[in-house]
Amino acid sequence: MWKDSGASLGDTNGDGENSVAGGDLTIGKTNFFSDMPAGWVNQVNGLGPGGAGHSFYLIDPKVMDDPMAFQNAIYPGNKRLANPSRTYQVKEQTQTAYFKANFAGELGDLSYTANIGAQYIKTELDMLQNQLGSERPCSLCTASEKTGEKWLNRDYSDFLPSMNFNLNLTKNVILRAGYGKTMTTLDIGKLAGGVSVGRTRAGYVLAAELGVSPDLLVAVQGRQNGQIM
C-alpha cells in the first residue's frame, strides 16, 4: 500500500470546485496493490540473501505506456494542462533577394577571378503572448492560469554583402581573400513567453511602510519569459 498527501486531486466529482470538504478525492487516499487491475502488479521473490523470505511488488512498466490512463485509473479526474508562461505561437515570414556578379581578368602577368554579391532579407514576426493571472487551474497546479492573449508584431531587414578574390600567383599557388556578412535565425524558444512575477511575504518592516498585513504577498521581481524585440 502507499499513501500521499491530503491535497485535493482537483474537481474529481465534477461540481466545478476543488474542495476536499466538498467531496473531491485526495492523493492522501490509501491505495493497495491488491486493488490494482489484474496483471498490473508482479510479485518478485528471492532477491539474494538480503531478500530471503521477503516479497517485493512491482507495477508492470507497460501499464504506464499511456501515462494519463494510468494516472486516471488510480487518481481519477486528471487534467492535461499547458503552462501558459512557456507556451506561445510564433509566425515567421521572410522575403529574400539575391545578387551576384562574377569577374575574371589579369593583373600584370597574373590572372584572377572574383565575385561580389549581396543578400537582402526581410523578416516579419507575429508572436502570441499569454497574459497570466494569479489563479491556479487546479489546487496542485504550479502553472498560473491564462487570462488573455496579446499579439506582438515585429519586422526587421538585413543586408548581407559578400566578396571573393582569387589571384593565381603561380601554377600551384593561389592567393585568396574573402569577406562576408552572415546571420542566423532567432532562437524561437526565447520569444513570446508569458510574464512571470515573483512574490514574497511582505514582513513587518515593509508592511509598516505600505500599511498592509505582514503576511501579504508582494511582487518583488518581474520577469518576461521571452524577448520582445
Side-chain angles (χ1 to χ4, degrees):
M1 58 173 285
W2 73 93
K3 185 175 182 179
D4 245 311
S5 72
S8 168
L9 281 172
D11 183 19
T12 58
N13 62 3
D15 63 358
E17 296 183 358
N18 295 329
S19 171
V20 175
D24 290 328
L25 296 177
T26 74
I27 60 174
K29 173 188 174 183
T30 302
N31 297 274
F32 295 90
F33 283 119
S34 58
D35 295 332
M36 297 291 98
W40 275 33
V41 179
N42 296 321
Q43 181 180 354
V44 180
N45 301 309
L47 296 179
H54 299 282
S55 297
F56 296 86
Y57 296 87
L58 307 173
I59 295 179
D60 187 348
K62 291 182 180 180
V63 303
M64 291 182 274
D65 287 345
D66 185 343
M68 281 295 290
F70 172 75
Q71 188 74 4
N72 275 315
I74 303 175
Y75 307 120
N78 287 270
K79 299 179 181 179
R80 190 183 297 273
L81 301 172
N83 186 344
S85 69
R86 296 296 181 184
T87 55
Y88 51 88
Q89 293 183 38
V90 177
K91 298 179 180 179
E92 180 182 85
Q93 182 177 357
T94 59
Q95 297 176 336
T96 305
Y98 300 89
F99 166 79
K100 181 180 179 182
N102 297 316
F103 303 91
E106 292 185 355
L107 288 176
D109 296 332
L110 304 177
S111 62
Y112 72 86
T113 59
N115 65 65
I116 60 172
Q119 180 181 7
Y120 172 79
I121 304 176
K122 181 178 181 180
T123 304
E124 298 179 1
L125 286 172
D126 297 316
M127 299 167 285
L128 179 64
Q129 180 185 41
N130 294 319
Q131 297 175 336
L132 311 180
S134 58
E135 298 296 326
R136 306 291 181 181
C138 63
S139 61
L140 299 180
C141 294
T142 58
S144 298
E145 191 169 28
K146 176 179 175 179
T147 59
E149 297 177 343
K150 180 180 180 181
W151 279 100
L152 304 174
N153 308 105
R154 298 290 186 270
D155 63 84
Y156 56 92
S157 300
D158 294 277
F159 181 75
L160 310 175
S162 64
M163 178 189 69
N164 292 284
F165 179 79
N166 302 313
L167 182 63
N168 299 307
L169 298 178
T170 68
K171 189 175 182 179
N172 299 315
V173 179
I174 300 176
L175 176 65
R176 293 179 174 174
Y179 167 81
K181 183 180 180 180
T182 62
M183 62 176 288
T184 59
T185 57
L186 293 168
D187 185 350
I188 300 299
K190 294 182 179 179
L191 297 176
V195 178
S196 297
V197 178
R199 299 181 183 274
T200 187
R201 183 175 177 272
Y204 292 100
V205 176
L206 184 59
E209 295 178 1
L210 300 178
V212 298
S213 167
D215 295 321
L216 179 69
L217 295 179
V218 295
V220 295
Q221 180 183 17
R223 182 168 63 88
Q224 172 74 40
N225 296 327
Q227 299 174 351
I228 306 303
M229 304 184 307

